[in-house]
Each structure stands twice: as C-alpha cells, then as structure tokens.
C-alpha cells in the first residue's frame, strides 16, 4: 500500500502546477468553510449568550400550561411552596446545574405621579438572578448594580417614555390572584438596558417586594430559570430534569410541570438554526468545489496516461489494483488540500481572534468577534473533503481499470 | 511438450460492415526455451498474433494453448493474473513508467503483480539489471537514459518475474541498428541463461536472422516455418 501511495504522489508531482492549483482550490474551499464556521459560530454563540445570560437562562421550569398563557402572566398558574420544593429537589440532584433563580412575574401599572403605563415585572433574589443570568447586571446602564428592597430597575424605553431617572420615586400598582389591587412606592434604583427578545423590556424588583404587592403569605413562583455549568450539556440536563419531573402529577392526573430549554422559549433559536442551515449549504459548496476539481484532474490523469494504463494492465496488474492506484491519487490530492487548508484556516481564525474585531448588533455596540474552531469541526470537514476526493476519483479509476489493454497500448 | 500451441487459430475483426480476417487458421507449436520470430510486413497479423498469445485478445475460432492453459476461455481478470504469472512483455516504445526510476520500473511487476517480499525483490532486480548492463543507471528516470538503455530496462522488467514466455512486439523498431543488435543479443543471452522462451515480431530482415525459428506471416497466414 505504501508503494501505491509513493507512485500516486509521484504521479501527482508529474504535473506540479496542475496539482498545486487543484490542491490550492481545495485548500481555499477548506479555509473558507472553516472561517465561515468559526465566524458564524461566534455570532451564534454571542447571540445565544446575550439571550440566555441576560435574562432567559438555559432552561426554565413552569407550572404546566404557564408558557402557553405567558402573555397574560397568570398569577393563578404560579408554583406553590410544595411544588417548588419538588422542583428544587430535582434541581439539586443534577450536578450539571450551576445556579437557578426563582421569579415572580406579574403585570402592573407604573406611575410617575403624572403619567401611568403598564409594565411587566420580575420579582427576583438579586444574588440568584446574577448567578443564573450573569450578564444581567451589565444591562444596568445607570444606577447601582443591585436590586435592593424598595428599589426598581426600570427598562430603558419605559424610563425614557415616562421621563424617570435614577433616584425618582414611582408607584407600582398590581392586582393579585384574588383580584384585590395593591400599590407600593419604589425608588428607581437603575435603568435597565433592553435586550432583544421576550423579557427584554421587563422591570425588576426584589422578590420580597413582589410578594408584598401581590399580598402573598407564602412565596408562589412563576418560573425558575436555570444555568448549567456547561452549555454543551443542555440537552442531557434537560432530559434528566424532564424525566425527574415527569413523575410529578397534578390533581387531574396530568403532568404538574413543564420544562423548556431556551430554544423553545426564544424566537432567536430560529435564527441560530438558520445559521446552521447556512453552514450546511456552505459545506455543500465545498463538496461541489472538491468534487468538480478532483474529478476534473483525475479524468485528465486517466486520459493522459492511457498508454501507461495499457502497459501496467498488459504486464498483469489486476483491475482492482488499477482502481486503487487512481483512488489513492485522488485521496492524496484531497489530503494535501485538507492539510494546507486546515493550516491556513486555523491561521486565519487565530489572526481574526487576536485582532479582536468588534461590531454592532442591533442596539448592542462593540460586540467582540471571537471566532474559534473546534477539533471536531476540523475533523468533519477533513473527512468530508477526503471522502469526496475519493468519490470523485471513482469514475475515472473504474474507467482506467476497464480499459482494453490493446486499445490503451495503441493510444497516441 | 510445447509451450505454445495454435490449432486452427483465427481472428477476425468487424470494421464497419466489413469483416477483416487478421489471422487465418494458424497452426504452430513453440517449444520451451526457444527464440522465435514472426516476420512479415505491416498488417500481416504479427501484433494480433502476439496479442492472442499474450492473452490480451481472444481468438475468433481455434484453440490457443499457453503452458497447458487454453487461454481463449480466460476472462479479463483471469487473463491479467495469467499474464502476471507466465508472460513478460517488451514493447516497441519501451513503455517504461516515467515517474519510476530504472530500479522501480524493473521491480514494478514484482511489487504490484506478484507481491514479492522486499529482500527477494531487491535481489532479483539487481541480478536482472546487472545482466542487461543497467545496474549503474538504476537510480535514473526513463527520461534520463537513451532508447537502447530503455529497451534493456524493458527486457529486465519482462524477465524479473521469471516468466516462461516473453513476448516482444517489434522490440527494435525504434532503435538504431547497433543498439537493436545489442538488445537482441541481451534477449538471446537471457534466453540461454534463464531458459525463457522469447517470441518477437519484426519486419527488419537483418534482425530476423538472429532468431532460431522464424515464422513468416503474410495476410494473416503462415507461409512456411524455418528452423
């Protein structure tokens, strides 16, 4: 086999310029795909990170049916103390979970004593919220980076519209699940920058203040946001959590809880999927480039070496070995292209990474482009290119092996 | 026991609607360790006959036996395997593989056809290269040696597997007279040393005289044999 490789490499070197051009074409394709995967991956991770780390968390748990009616923020579908204890037990049994945050979500009226508007509010324990969505505090563009009892973090657009600033006194009025109305004065503790997506325009207060407004004697939780230690474990952690909670039934005998990953909760998941689909089509383009260029070279190689094929067939080389010779030639061409492409691709990605390029994404300014490529992607691309190189050589190799030695030897 | 036996051997081609009879009812026997030449003008059927003996083509009718095997019934793969085991080839245009050195060209059949182990392969190649006087050029590529030297390498390649039969189609056609005689001398020498049967075709009357047995061919028919 080593000798067939040696002959294949020498045959490729026979037409150095053509081999170099074809290998370069394959290499450029590999570089393009690797850079595209790394840059689009960077965009995607950044986007997912912005959403999950700013407010959504990686996984959320609600009472069954809550998400379907989330627009009305139904207080009647909160989790009671016993239900929450069951959820907490399940969470504590999964070591992949790094942190979780209890939230009381409700709608209310927000007044600056001159004007009134509606607002969505989240009552949270600030320490738990920051552990679960670590970019939360980075959204506070004015004021203190905390949620003290008696303070409210007001979403930026609401603050602008209502002309309130840090230190102002405002009133929040809400109706509890029994229908009784209650109000409470707050001091504006900070202005919260908006993030794109659901929940991006929500205000935040301390969970004890939420309980006070809603006149809760015991805590009733609307949602539990969860952060994982490793985002790659999302689906396995989700499966375990869902399995653990699926045994818990409500009074009607149906499931008591519903568990969702961020993918089911954010429309941005579709954009992430579109990036994956674009990557897939870029890979298809690479396959087409490799297929056409390698096949072209191998067809030429067979045509130029007809007499040589006739000679080796005449002296007794079996058709299978002739096929192997040409397949290995195609394999070697693809392999060279992949090696060069991987080296250049990793170099380009490293340069882009070191260059620390920034860009603007909607209202987000100065986002850092941090492209990276993992070994698995490099291996997948390499295997695709090499496999396609061999497939592209199949037809010419088969043709060579089926040549009539007499006709081949007569060829001029 | 004859090495090659032809019994009413015929070969016809269809050329459009025309049927061309390239060989007509040939009958001959070739003994082992003989030095045989088929002689005739261009188009007389020499190459067609060598192609049949070399299992590169199949007869239209008749029986052709090579080393006790009826070669007319071999399929493509079996014919290739048979050639690899029993027959060596020398071509008019030398047909060396340009990307391989002289040493590698001679070793090609051992490596790719016979799978001979490395030490044995090396010994056989060097022995043959010494015998044809090309040992000093073993690291040269075909484009670095002369036509005569190429044909000597081709002779070594044909003999390296120790075949019973070597077929040479116009082996001296592209060589000057002096070199042509030298190549024929080497073939004779190898035949005497190794006991290999050489069958070659030529239209060169001076070279013909070097053969032990001559079969003249004309219009696909043997006119008479001379020992």
């Amino acid at each position: 086999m080593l000798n067939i490789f040696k002959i294949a490499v020498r045959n490729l070197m026979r037409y150095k310029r053509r081999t170099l051009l074809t290998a370069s074409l394959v290499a450029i394709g590999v570089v393009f795909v690797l850079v595209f995967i790394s840059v689009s991956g960077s965009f995607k991770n950044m986007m997912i990170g912005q959403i999950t780390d700013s407010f959504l968390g990686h996984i959320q748990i609600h009472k069954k049916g809550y998400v379907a009616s989330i627009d009305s923020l139904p207080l009647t579908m909160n989790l009671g103390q016993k239900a929450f204890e069951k959820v907490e037990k399940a969470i504590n049994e999964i070591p992949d979970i790094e942190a979780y945050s209890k939230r009381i979500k409700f709608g209310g009226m927000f007044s600056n004593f001159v004007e009134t508007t509606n607002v969505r509010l989240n009552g949270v324990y600030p320490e738990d919220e920051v552990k679960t969505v670590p970019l939360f505090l980075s959204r506070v563009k004015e004021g203190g980076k905390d949620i003290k009892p008696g303070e409210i973090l007001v979403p930026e657009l609401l603050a602008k519209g209502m002309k309130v600033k840090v230190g102002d006194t405002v009133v929040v009025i809400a109706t509890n699940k029994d229908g009784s109305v209650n109000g409470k004065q707050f001091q504006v503790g900070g202005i919260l920058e908006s993030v794109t997506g659901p929940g991006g325009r929500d205000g935040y207060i301390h969970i004890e203040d939420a309980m006070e407004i809603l006149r809760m004697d015991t805590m009733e939780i609307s949602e539990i946001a969860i952060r994982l230690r490793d985002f790659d474990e999302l689906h396995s952690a989700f499966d375990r959590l869902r399995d653990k909670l699926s045994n818990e039934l409500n009074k009607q005998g149906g499931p008591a809880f519903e568990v969702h990953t961020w993918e089911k909760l954010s429309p941005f998941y579709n954009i992430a999927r579109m990036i994956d689909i674009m990557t897939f089509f870029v890979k298809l383009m690479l396959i087409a480039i490799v297929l056409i260029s390698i096949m072209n070279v191998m067809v030429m190689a067979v045509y130029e070496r007809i007499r040589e094929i006739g000679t080796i067939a005449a002296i007794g080389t079996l058709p299978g070995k002739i096929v192997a010779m040409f397949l290995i030639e195609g394999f070697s061409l693809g392999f060279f292209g992949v090696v060069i492409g991987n080296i250049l691709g990793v170099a380009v990605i490293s340069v882009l990474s070191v260059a620390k390029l920034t860009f603007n994404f909607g209202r987000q300014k100065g986002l850092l482009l941090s492209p990276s490529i993992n070994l698995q992607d490099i291996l997948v691309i390499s295997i695709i290119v090499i496999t396609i190189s061999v497939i592209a050589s199949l037809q010419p190799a088969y043709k060579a092996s089926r040549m009539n030695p007499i006709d081949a030897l007569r060829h001029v | 026991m004859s090495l090659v036996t032809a019994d009413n051997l015929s070969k016809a081609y269809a050329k459009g609607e025309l049927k061309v009879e390239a060989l007509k009812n040939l009958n001959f026997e070739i003994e082992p360790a003989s030095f045989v030449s088929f002689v005739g003008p261009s188009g007389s059927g020499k190459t067609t006959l060598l192609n049949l003996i070399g299992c590169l083509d199949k007869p239209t009718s008749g029986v052709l036996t090579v080393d006790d095997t009826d070669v007319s019934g071999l399929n493509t793969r079996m014919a290739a395997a048979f050639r690899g085991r029993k027959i060596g080839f020398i071509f008019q245009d030398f047909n060396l593989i340009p990307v391989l050195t002289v040493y590698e060209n001679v070793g090609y059949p051992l490596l790719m056809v016979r799978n001979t182990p490395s030490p044995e392969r090396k010994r056989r190649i060097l022995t043959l290269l010494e015998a044809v006087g090309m040992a000093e050029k073993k690291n040269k590529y075909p484009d670095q040696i002369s036509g005569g030297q190429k044909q000597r390498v081709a002779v070594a390649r044909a003999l390296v597997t120790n075949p019973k039969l070597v077929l040479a189609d116009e082996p001296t056609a592209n060589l000057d007279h002096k070199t042509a005689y030298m190549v024929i001398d080497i073939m004779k020498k190898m035949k005497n040393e190794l006991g290999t049967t050489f069958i070659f075709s030529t239209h060169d009357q001076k070279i013909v005289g070097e053969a032990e047995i001559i079969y003249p061919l004309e219009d696909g028919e043997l006119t008479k044999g001379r020992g």
Side-chain angles (χ1 to χ4, degrees):
Chain A
M1 188 58 93
L2 197 67
N3 290 297
I4 300 182
F5 264 104
K6 197 163 81 179
I7 293 171
V9 171
R10 293 221 194 136
N11 275 320
L12 289 174
M13 289 298 112
R14 197 193 295 202
Y15 304 101
K16 284 194 185 77
R17 190 182 297 174
R18 186 172 72 192
T19 300
L20 203 64
L21 273 173
T22 310
S24 303
L25 198 62
V26 174
I28 289 168
V30 170
V31 170
F32 179 70
V33 172
L34 289 181
V35 171
F36 182 85
I37 288 175
S38 67
V39 171
S40 64
S42 169
F43 282 132
K44 187 175 132 183
N45 292 339
M46 201 180 297
M47 195 174 68
I48 294 170
Q50 281 288 318
I51 293 161
T52 58
D53 295 357
S54 292
F55 64 95
L56 209 57
H58 296 152
I59 295 173
Q60 288 189 359
I61 302 170
H62 304 90
K63 187 172 185 175
K64 181 73 181 171
Y66 185 88
V67 172
S69 51
I70 198 164
D71 283 342
S72 60
L73 301 172
L75 293 168
T76 52
M77 298 193 78
N78 283 355
L79 299 168
Q81 192 59 36
K82 278 187 182 171
F84 172 72
E85 280 168 9
K86 287 176 186 169
V87 173
E88 193 172 39
K89 183 171 177 284
I91 288 174
N92 290 334
E93 285 173 0
I94 298 172
D96 287 333
I97 294 174
E98 183 178 330
Y100 64 92
S101 177
K102 293 174 275 189
R103 293 170 179 167
I104 299 174
K105 296 170 83 80
F106 63 100
M109 303 300 288
F110 178 92
S111 172
N112 61 0
F113 302 103
V114 180
E115 292 176 273
T116 302
T117 187
N118 60 326
V119 67
R120 288 159 54 106
L121 285 166
N122 295 269
V124 297
Y125 283 117
E127 303 82 23
D128 292 346
E129 187 71 8
V130 170
K131 280 180 196 162
T132 308
V133 285
L135 292 181
F136 173 69
L137 285 184
S138 68
R139 290 171 57 202
V140 182
K141 52 186 283 190
E142 289 174 45
K145 305 248 171 193
D146 196 4
I147 310 171
K148 294 181 185 125
E151 284 186 354
I152 180 170
L153 294 181
V154 183
E156 186 183 10
L157 293 175
L158 187 72
K160 264 189 189 168
M162 298 293 284
K163 296 182 185 65
V164 294
K165 53 187 185 301
V166 174
D168 287 357
T169 302
V170 295
V171 173
V172 170
I173 303 151
T175 308
N176 73 1
K177 69 176 179 183
D178 300 323
S180 91
V181 178
N182 192 21
K184 179 174 167 60
Q185 269 194 9
F186 285 92
Q187 194 174 34
V188 176
I191 306 297
L192 202 58
E193 194 175 50
S194 172
V195 284
T196 321
R201 294 187 183 88
D202 289 16
Y204 284 82
I205 57 175
H206 197 281
I207 203 163
E208 287 165 8
D209 290 337
M211 288 173 68
E212 187 185 331
I213 295 173
L214 297 172
R215 290 179 174 159
M216 287 180 181
D217 297 329
T218 55
M219 197 178 290
E220 294 173 21
I221 303 300
S222 310
E223 79 183 14
I224 298 143
I226 291 171
R227 179 175 184 78
L228 303 174
R229 292 180 206 283
D230 180 0
F231 186 70
D232 292 338
E233 298 300 322
L234 179 71
H235 292 107
S236 69
F238 166 76
D239 288 341
R240 273 179 287 164
L241 200 52
R242 190 189 49 191
D243 291 346
K244 283 183 189 298
L245 293 176
S246 62
N247 298 328
E248 302 297 339
L249 303 177
N250 57 24
K251 285 172 188 166
Q252 289 75 42
F257 305 103
E258 57 187 16
V259 186
H260 294 102
T261 63
W262 74 274
E263 297 159 345
K264 298 286 179 196
L265 298 166
S266 170
F268 278 84
Y269 176 63
N270 292 330
I271 296 176
R273 291 288 300 149
M274 279 165 67
I275 291 173
D276 290 341
I277 291 168
M278 277 166 66
T279 307
F280 172 73
F281 278 103
V282 167
K283 283 179 188 169
L284 275 188
M285 281 163 61
L286 174 70
I287 289 171
I289 290 170
V290 173
L291 193 71
I292 292 166
S293 52
I294 302 267
M295 193 179 246
N296 179 45
V297 168
M298 296 314 295
V299 167
M300 289 292 288
V302 169
Y303 183 76
E304 286 160 352
R305 305 215 301 264
I306 289 177
R307 284 192 68 151
E308 216 173 293
I309 294 163
T311 305
I312 61 172
I315 62 182
T317 310
L318 295 176
K321 245 174 195 164
I322 296 176
V323 168
M325 284 172 75
F326 281 93
L327 289 188
I328 288 173
E329 216 168 304
F331 170 89
S332 304
L333 197 52
F335 183 77
F336 290 146
V338 158
V339 170
I340 297 167
N342 282 339
I343 292 169
L344 290 179
V346 170
V348 171
I349 292 165
S350 304
V351 168
L352 286 176
S353 189
V354 170
K356 297 199 181 302
L357 300 174
T358 56
F359 64 99
N360 300 327
F361 181 66
R363 293 168 56 84
Q364 306 287 318
K365 308 286 182 198
L367 293 171
L368 183 68
L369 181 70
S370 52
S372 64
I373 191 91
N374 59 39
L375 189 63
Q376 191 189 341
D377 281 330
I378 292 176
L379 282 176
V380 167
I381 295 296
S382 303
I383 290 167
I384 288 174
V385 170
I386 290 171
T387 307
I388 294 299
S389 301
V390 173
I391 290 171
S393 312
L394 266 177
Q395 191 275 341
Y398 180 74
K399 190 181 170 189
S401 75
R402 304 296 297 174
M403 269 181 198
N404 180 349
I406 296 173
D407 296 335
L409 285 166
R410 265 197 221 121
H411 186 81
V412 181
Chain B
M1 190 81 176
S2 301
L3 180 68
V4 181
T5 309
D7 188 8
N8 281 323
L9 189 69
S10 295
K11 177 70 185 178
Y13 297 106
K15 215 173 188 178
E17 288 182 5
L18 214 67
K19 188 183 172 193
V20 178
E21 288 192 89
L23 297 173
K24 299 166 195 167
N25 298 316
L26 303 190
N27 291 285
F28 60 85
E29 287 186 357
I30 295 170
E31 299 302 316
S34 49
F35 202 68
V36 180
S37 175
F38 285 95
V39 190
S42 181
S44 59
K46 303 185 297 288
T47 301
T48 305
L49 180 56
L50 289 193
N51 285 343
L52 291 181
I53 298 171
C55 310
L56 295 171
D57 205 354
K58 288 181 182 179
T60 313
S61 64
V63 177
L64 177 64
T65 310
V66 179
D67 195 29
D68 295 332
T69 304
D70 180 1
V71 294
S72 48
L74 299 178
N75 64 26
T76 309
R77 202 176 181 284
M78 286 160 70
F82 185 81
R83 288 195 298 272
R85 284 199 311 274
K86 310 274 185 179
I87 305 171
F89 285 87
I90 301 169
F91 303 96
Q92 179 179 333
D93 295 320
F94 327 125
N95 290 20
L96 299 180
I97 299 168
V99 293
L100 302 181
T101 61
V102 162
Y103 180 92
E104 290 164 338
N105 260 291
V106 174
Y108 181 91
L110 294 177
L111 188 70
M112 300 295 283
V113 180
R114 289 286 191 89
N115 296 319
T116 310
S118 177
E120 169 69 2
R121 200 166 66 224
K122 190 176 177 185
R123 190 187 65 73
R124 302 269 300 264
I125 297 167
L126 291 177
T127 305
L128 262 301
L129 282 176
E130 285 286 349
V132 298
M134 287 298 292
E136 284 180 11
K137 306 272 184 189
K138 66 177 183 174
N139 293 324
K140 299 280 183 192
Y141 284 90
D143 61 357
Q144 296 171 321
I145 56 177
S146 68
Q149 289 172 330
K150 282 180 194 170
Q151 201 58 304
R152 281 149 68 185
V153 174
V155 171
R157 180 178 67 184
L159 290 164
V160 77
T161 54
N162 204 13
K164 292 200 167 175
L165 175 65
V166 170
L167 299 172
D169 189 10
E170 301 271 9
T172 58
N174 286 345
L175 303 174
D176 61 63
H177 238 78
K178 193 179 156 196
T179 315
Y181 274 108
M182 196 168 69
V183 168
I184 293 293
D185 278 347
I186 288 171
M187 285 164 58
K188 265 184 171 173
K189 184 181 130 197
M190 301 315 295
K191 173 240 151 189
N192 291 331
E193 282 179 13
L194 304 171
T196 312
T197 302
F198 277 79
I199 302 175
F200 65 99
S201 68
T202 184
H203 60 269
D204 187 334
Q205 289 302 322
K206 289 175 189 163
I207 295 292
V208 171
E210 299 297 315
E212 293 168 357
I213 302 162
I214 300 167
Y215 286 106
L217 263 173
E218 213 172 287
D219 295 331
E221 291 177 294
L222 283 174
T223 49
K224 58 175 181 174
R226 175 162 64 86

